């Protein structure tokens, strides 16, 4: 499937060479957006020549900085780059919901955006210079990839979710397989998911599995685009973005790994990165639980946790942190009453700041076990201070104060995920005033305008003027839950 996407965008008919020059559909800036933007200006950027270019502001909790983010962001808007403001959510889940489109090519500087492969979008991490070139000229030069297929069969059992399947792939040594193929073929590896059980997984669950790519050293991960994808896009009011994507019969594949979903048990990734059964950690006291983050949890999982913990209260020694992946999920939880249930249990609602998943904010306590649902930072070596597990495993820890098997809840919950979702994109800036942009950018240099942190105060309104949702053609739909 990766080869099909690249072949349709290659500058010449032959795409079997070592390097490919391909046109880009989407660009996502998250780790160092201003570095790529400034370089693209030096390459002659006028207006981004791609379907979607988005810069995500991942700093929700302010800290002293010599840079003026307000003026810089306005300049991005003038060049056709959307700005996802602080508080919109983590880049991966937000992009999956509001921008990702199947059978397209996306380049980014954020490895944790691999989850949008669950939509069928090929997302590749490229250097800053390549991002700048894509912003200025709409093309990127990449190495031709090879593929490994993950064949999914069977059905998930109660209290086992997509997060456990992702951990099962790590436990079975998918990283070693990727490394072996990459060394033998001297080419980046794309993990492609297929098999009869793909149809039983929602796009959100597929995204959780695709997010394993950076953990195993793969360049990207891809799912097919089918009727499930079309339904997801329809719920997001983006049905026109749908394109079918499936592998051709007899398409080349380096290796095939089969996974029986019905044989997967609740799993935990320990501090050293080893994946073991949750029963190996049973009884250990838990001091902190981080539910949410940029991956590893779906809206269905959050509703399930709220149902499992309803009428319960956290133990005195436990800190329960809730980092909802996206603003859309937050509104859906609030409308369905699940957010109130989680807060009544004792959850602390925290901002979707990039430093939450890296551990810079709300770091693990010195005593006791810390657990979370989001993946470890792939580029950070050494041991992690937290255990990684599924949302329902974390729910058991919150309910009892210790690590344990969520199947001890006995009765599985039946969750109805709302189909009518908020799509107003209130925190996505789409239009910029060119006159105001030039004034802010040149008022004593970038970051010295009236909205700059250097001025001592920050104007809350004009710097992020986006226009009304009606003017942008986006209307809020009623939040009435219906069965999926």
């Amino acid at each position: 499937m990766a080869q099909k996407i690249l072949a349709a965008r290659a500058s010449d008919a032959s795409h079997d060479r070592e390097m490919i020059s391909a046109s880009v559909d989407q660009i996502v800036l998250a780790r160092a957006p201003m570095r790529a933007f400034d370089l693209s200006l030096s390459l002659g950027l006028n207006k981004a020549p791609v379907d979607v270019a988005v810069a995500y502001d991942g700093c929700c909790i302010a800290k002293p900085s010599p840079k003026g983010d307000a003026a810089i962001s306005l300049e991005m808007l003038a060049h056709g780059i959307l700005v996802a403001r602080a508080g919109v959510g983590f880049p991966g889940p937000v992009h999956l919901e509001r921008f990702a489109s199947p059978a397209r090519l996306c380049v980014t500087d954020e490895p944790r955006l691999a989850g949008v492969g669950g939509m069928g979008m090929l997302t590749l991490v490229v250097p800053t210079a390549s991002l700048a070139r894509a912003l200025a000229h709409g093309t990127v030069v990449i190495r031709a990839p090879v593929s490994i297929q993950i064949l999914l069969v069977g059905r998930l059992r109660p209290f086992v979710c997509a997060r456990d399947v992702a951990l099962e792939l790590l436990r079975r040594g998918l990283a070693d397989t990727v490394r072996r193929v990459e060394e033998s073929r001297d080419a980046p590896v794309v993990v492609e998911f297929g098999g009869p059980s793909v149809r039983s997984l929602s796009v959100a669950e597929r995204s959780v599995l695709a997010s394993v790519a950076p953990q195993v050293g793969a360049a990207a991960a891809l799912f097919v685009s089918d009727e499930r994808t079309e339904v997801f896009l329809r719920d997001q009011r983006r049905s026109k973005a749908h394109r079918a994507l499936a592998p051709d019969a007899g398409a080349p594949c380096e290796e095939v790994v089969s996974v029986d979903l019905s044989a997967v048990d609740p799993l935990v990734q320990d501090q050293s990165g080893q994946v073991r059964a949750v029963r190996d950690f049973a009884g250990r006291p838990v001091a902190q639980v981080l539910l949410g983050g940029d991956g590893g949890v779906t809206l269905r999982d959050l509703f399930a946790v709220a149902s499992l913990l309803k009428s319960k209260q956290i133990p005195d020694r436990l800190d329960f942190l809730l980092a909802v992946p996206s603003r859309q999920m937050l509104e859906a939880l609030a409308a369905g009453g699940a957010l109130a249930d989680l807060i009544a249990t004792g959850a602390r609602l925290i901002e979707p700041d990039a430093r939450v998943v890296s551990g810079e904010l709300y770091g693990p306590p010195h005593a006791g076990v810390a657990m979370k649902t989001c993946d470890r930072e792939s580029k950070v070596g050494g041991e992690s201070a937290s255990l990684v597990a599924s949302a329902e495993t974390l729910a058991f820890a919150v309910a009892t104060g210790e690590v344990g098997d969520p199947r001890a809840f006995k009765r599985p919950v039946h969750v109805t995920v709302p189909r009518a979702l908020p799509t107003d994109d209130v925190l996505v800036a789409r239009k910029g005033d060119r006159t105001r942009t030039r004034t802010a950018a040149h008022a004593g240099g970038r970051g010295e305008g009236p909205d700059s942190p250097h001025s001592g105060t920050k104007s809350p309104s004009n710097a992020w003027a986006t226009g009304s949702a009606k003017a942008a053609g986006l209307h809020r739909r009623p939040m009435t839950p219906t069965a999926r």
Side-chain angles (χ1 to χ4, degrees):
M1 293 186 290
Q3 290 78 3
K4 288 177 66 174
I5 294 175
L6 292 175
R9 288 154 181 78
S11 57
D12 54 22
S14 175
H15 62 280
D16 293 326
R17 301 174 304 169
E18 182 178 351
M19 304 299 293
I20 302 173
S21 177
S23 58
V24 175
D25 298 296
Q26 296 191 10
I27 301 172
V28 177
L29 309 176
R31 294 267 169 139
M34 282 314 304
R35 192 182 310 163
F37 178 64
D38 288 339
L39 186 54
S40 68
L41 290 177
S42 67
L43 295 176
L45 171 66
N46 181 21
K47 187 174 182 180
V50 295
D51 295 340
V52 177
V54 189
Y56 287 89
D57 184 356
C59 185
C60 299
I61 301 176
K63 64 178 181 179
S65 172
K67 297 182 179 179
D69 294 333
I72 291 171
S73 298
L74 284 174
E75 187 175 357
M76 284 185 169
L77 294 174
H79 291 276
I81 302 174
L82 308 182
V83 177
R85 299 167 51 189
V88 71
F90 297 97
V94 174
H95 204 78
L96 179 75
E97 294 167 352
R98 305 307 307 140
F99 301 107
S101 301
R104 270 79 157 190
L105 174 62
C106 173
V107 294
T108 181
D109 59 354
E110 175 57 272
R112 305 180 81 98
L113 204 75
V116 300
M119 169 78 70
M121 170 176 273
L122 179 61
T123 305
L124 302 175
V125 178
V126 299
T128 301
S130 297
L131 277 177
R133 174 191 170 105
L135 278 171
H137 305 297
T139 60
V140 66
V141 178
I142 56 177
R143 297 167 62 196
V146 295
S147 299
I148 290 176
Q149 186 179 46
I150 308 296
L151 190 65
L152 302 178
V153 298
R155 296 187 67 87
L156 291 173
R157 294 177 294 168
F159 297 108
V160 179
C161 61
R163 169 84 279 180
D164 296 305
V165 180
L167 292 176
E168 173 69 12
L169 292 174
L170 296 178
R171 187 186 69 83
R172 296 179 60 170
L174 181 59
D176 295 333
T177 304
V178 170
R179 189 182 308 111
R180 183 174 63 254
V181 172
E182 185 175 14
E183 291 175 353
S184 63
R185 293 297 305 272
D186 191 26
V189 176
V190 175
V191 177
E192 299 186 0
F193 290 85
S197 295
V198 166
R199 292 176 177 270
S200 67
L201 300 177
S202 67
V203 169
E205 290 171 323
R206 297 175 186 184
S207 176
V208 173
L209 291 181
S211 66
V212 79
Q215 299 294 314
V216 299
L222 269 179
F223 271 84
V224 298
S225 174
D226 54 12
E227 62 276 4
R228 280 271 194 169
T229 314
E230 188 174 11
V231 169
F232 178 85
L233 287 169
R234 191 182 305 129
D235 292 345
Q236 296 291 338
R237 305 191 73 183
R238 298 195 295 119
S239 56
K240 291 183 179 180
H242 180 256
R243 290 182 188 172
L245 177 66
D248 294 331
C253 182
E254 300 303 316
E255 289 201 29
V256 178
V257 178
S258 296
V259 178
D260 185 356
L261 301 183
S262 62
V264 177
D265 291 319
L267 299 171
V268 171
Q269 185 181 33
D270 65 18
Q271 292 89 338
S272 65
Q274 298 297 313
V275 177
R276 299 153 59 186
V278 68
R279 61 178 174 271
D280 294 342
F281 299 87
R284 293 192 185 184
V286 177
Q288 183 191 78
V289 167
L290 173 58
L291 177 63
D294 64 344
V297 66
T298 67
L299 181 59
R300 179 265 165 204
D301 294 334
L302 294 174
F303 273 105
V305 170
S307 179
L308 289 170
L309 297 179
K310 191 169 185 177
S311 302
K312 294 182 173 62
Q313 292 185 346
I314 61 173
D316 293 337
R317 65 178 182 274
L318 188 140
D319 195 10
F320 182 18
L321 306 177
L322 176 62
V324 183
S326 72
R327 182 181 176 87
Q328 183 183 91
M329 291 189 191
L330 181 63
E331 291 191 42
L333 289 172
L339 182 61
D341 292 337
L342 289 169
I343 292 175
T345 299
R348 294 169 52 196
L349 186 62
I350 63 176
E351 292 266 25
D353 194 293
R355 293 166 292 172
V356 171
V357 295
S358 66
E360 294 180 59
L361 294 176
Y362 306 104
H366 297 292
V369 173
M371 302 184 71
K372 62 181 183 179
T373 52
C374 54
D375 289 310
R376 307 191 319 158
E377 189 68 25
S378 58
K379 292 186 178 181
V380 176
E383 294 191 351
S384 169
S386 302
L387 302 179
V388 179
S390 69
E392 293 178 28
T393 300
L394 266 62
F396 184 88
V398 172
T400 63
E402 59 186 31
V403 183
D405 195 322
R407 289 173 292 193
F409 279 121
K410 302 297 184 184
R411 299 179 64 181
V413 294
H414 298 283
V415 175
T416 300
V417 179
R419 291 282 302 276
L421 299 169
T423 58
D424 51 12
D425 295 334
V426 65
L427 290 182
V428 178
R430 297 176 179 271
K431 298 178 181 179
D433 185 334
R434 288 181 179 270
T435 302
R436 180 178 174 83
T437 298
R438 285 192 289 268
T439 302
H442 292 90
R446 282 183 184 161
E448 301 298 331
D451 298 317
S452 168
H454 295 245
S455 65
T457 60
K458 198 169 185 178
S459 174
S461 57
N462 293 334
W464 295 105
T466 61
S468 68
K470 184 176 181 180
L474 300 169
H475 307 274
R476 184 185 296 272
R477 292 167 62 184
M479 295 290 298
T480 54
T482 56
R484 188 176 284 276

